[in-house]
Amino acid sequence: MLISKPVAEAIRAGIVTQAFRRWDAPRVKVGGLQLTPAGLVRFDAVSRVRDPEKLTERDARTAGVKDLATLQKFLAPRERKPSPRGGRGGDTVYRIRLSWAGEDPRIALRESLPDEDTLRDLATRLARLDARPTGPWTLEILEWIRDHPRVVSKELAALRGVDLLPMKVDIRKLKTLGLTISHDVGYELSPRGVAYLDWVERVG
């Protein structure tokens, strides 16, 4: 389920406590967690809205929508093929109760300094990421981010001669391992990432 950064921040603050989506069937599980720009969000309940016309202004506000008219417009049926991830496809409107469930676990991970066994494990994981037809890429990106912190990523894409969006997907894989930190503009290595590159240079 797509959750924007402003809505995620409002969930964290306890201002937004629910969401509404038009789906063919629920696409989230009660008790499930989703990683958002503001940390982990838990899906506490999912129920069918039998009459969307009876939603209220309070429903709109607690869903992070400015008013009821905007919410009703968002939930109106669309004459188009439903998107696999979007919120407007399907015949049924669902109410999803939400709550903030904790910090992004990658934050603690990126601050942790790896021991020798962990460094070897990281090298193995990165080698798996490198094992694709286009060839190795992880070390090149990590070194560029180290040398160009907070530089707009399109410069790296142009330098490497690759499309920007797939490259960003690759960088998110490095972030999942706790090696990079994303900023509004560009990236930087985390303490964990710095330690890994120092280790790579040390072992040759």
Side-chain angles (χ1 to χ4, degrees):
M1 188 173 97
L2 296 178
I3 300 175
S4 68
K5 183 175 182 180
V7 170
E9 294 287 357
I11 294 170
R12 178 179 181 135
I15 298 169
V16 168
T17 57
Q18 62 182 347
F20 296 92
R21 295 292 188 272
R22 179 175 285 278
W23 291 328
D24 287 321
R27 298 181 187 173
V28 298
K29 293 183 178 180
V30 174
L33 298 174
Q34 180 168 320
L35 185 60
T36 75
L40 292 171
V41 167
R42 179 185 294 108
F43 304 116
D44 297 315
V46 181
S47 59
R48 180 178 179 180
V49 178
R50 297 189 179 279
D51 188 355
E53 294 298 321
K54 292 184 178 180
L55 293 174
T56 66
E57 291 287 350
R58 184 179 183 280
D59 285 323
R61 289 195 304 273
T62 55
V65 182
K66 66 177 182 178
D67 55 37
L68 180 58
T70 302
L71 178 61
Q72 294 286 13
K73 183 178 179 180
F74 173 75
L75 294 175
R78 293 292 188 270
E79 294 295 329
R80 67 179 185 179
K81 184 178 179 180
S83 165
R85 297 183 64 193
R88 299 187 185 180
D91 297 326
T92 304
V93 173
Y94 290 91
R95 183 194 306 266
I96 305 100
R97 301 287 186 183
L98 306 162
S99 61
W100 190 70
E103 296 286 356
D104 182 341
R106 296 173 300 187
I107 294 175
L109 181 63
R110 72 194 189 195
E111 296 297 325
S112 65
L113 296 180
D115 59 20
E116 194 73 16
D117 288 341
T118 303
L119 288 164
R120 284 194 291 267
D121 179 65
L122 281 170
T124 298
R125 293 181 179 215
L126 293 175
R128 292 194 193 106
L129 293 178
D130 283 333
R132 64 187 190 190
T134 52
W137 57 272
T138 59
L139 187 60
E140 178 185 25
I141 288 181
L142 287 170
E143 289 177 338
W144 189 89
I145 291 174
R146 178 194 60 192
D147 298 337
H148 303 85
R150 296 177 183 256
V151 173
V152 63
S153 53
K154 67 180 181 181
E155 291 192 15
L156 174 56
L159 179 67
R160 299 181 67 232
V162 300
D163 292 333
L164 178 61
L165 292 182
M167 188 191 74
K168 284 189 170 184
V169 172
D170 282 342
I171 294 175
R172 281 199 292 272
K173 295 174 184 176
L174 301 176
K175 183 177 180 180
T176 299
L177 294 174
L179 300 175
T180 65
I181 301 170
S182 299
H183 296 289
D184 290 339
V185 176
Y187 311 89
E188 68 175 315
L189 289 188
S190 67
R192 186 180 180 87
V194 171
Y196 176 74
L197 281 190
D198 288 347
W199 178 79
V200 168
E201 293 177 356
R202 189 169 67 250
V203 299

